[in-house]
Amino acid sequence: MATDAQQACFEAGIKFGSLYHQFAGTPVSPASTRSLEAAMAEAIENQPFCESVDVTIHDDRVADAIDHANGYTELTGSLMDVEMRIDYEGVVVDTRMEMVDGYPLMELASVRE
C-alpha cells in the first residue's frame, strides 16, 4: 500500500495529466488567455485533494505562436506555466510545470507533512 506522501504525489500526477491532456489543443488567442486560465484552474480544482491551481498563459508566447490570419493558435505546454497544491491526508505537495530546455517539465517542487 502507498504511503500518504506517495499517494499525494500520485494525486498531483493525475491532476497534471488531466490538465494537460484535457486542454492541449484548445484554441487560444491573446484576447482569451485570462478566461482560459480561469477555466483550466477551476476545472482541475474540482478534483479531490486539489487545494489550488494557478495557470499562467503567456500572451507573448501565444502571439508568437499564431502563424495564420485567423488570430489564434492551439494551446501547448510551451505557452503556459502551472503551479498546483495537493493536500492528501495532511501531506502537502507543491508542483509546477514550466519550460526547461525547450520542454514543458512537470515536477514536484516540495512534499511536506
Side-chain angles (χ1 to χ4, degrees), residues 33-94:
T33 54
R34 299 297 81 80
S35 62
L36 184 55
E37 288 170 344
M40 292 172 72
E42 289 173 13
I44 301 307
E45 286 173 346
N46 284 322
Q47 295 185 38
F49 315 113
C50 193
E51 283 263 312
S52 64
V53 178
D54 181 43
V55 178
T56 302
I57 301 173
H58 299 278
D59 294 335
D60 58 334
R61 295 181 196 173
V62 170
D64 290 346
I66 296 171
D67 61 0
H68 52 81
N70 295 319
Y72 74 94
T73 190
E74 293 181 4
L75 185 67
T76 65
S78 66
L79 303 178
M80 63 180 160
D81 294 329
V82 180
E83 294 182 354
M84 281 192 272
R85 174 166 286 165
I86 309 304
D87 186 340
Y88 178 84
E89 300 296 326
V91 177
V92 177
V93 175
D94 289 309

Side-chain angles (χ1 to χ4, degrees), residues 2-23:
T3 66
D4 286 347
Q6 291 167 330
Q7 187 65 37
C9 292
F10 173 78
E11 291 292 340
I14 293 297
K15 280 32 165 193
F16 259 125
S18 178
L19 179 137
Y20 194 88
H21 294 291
Q22 180 177 348
F23 290 99

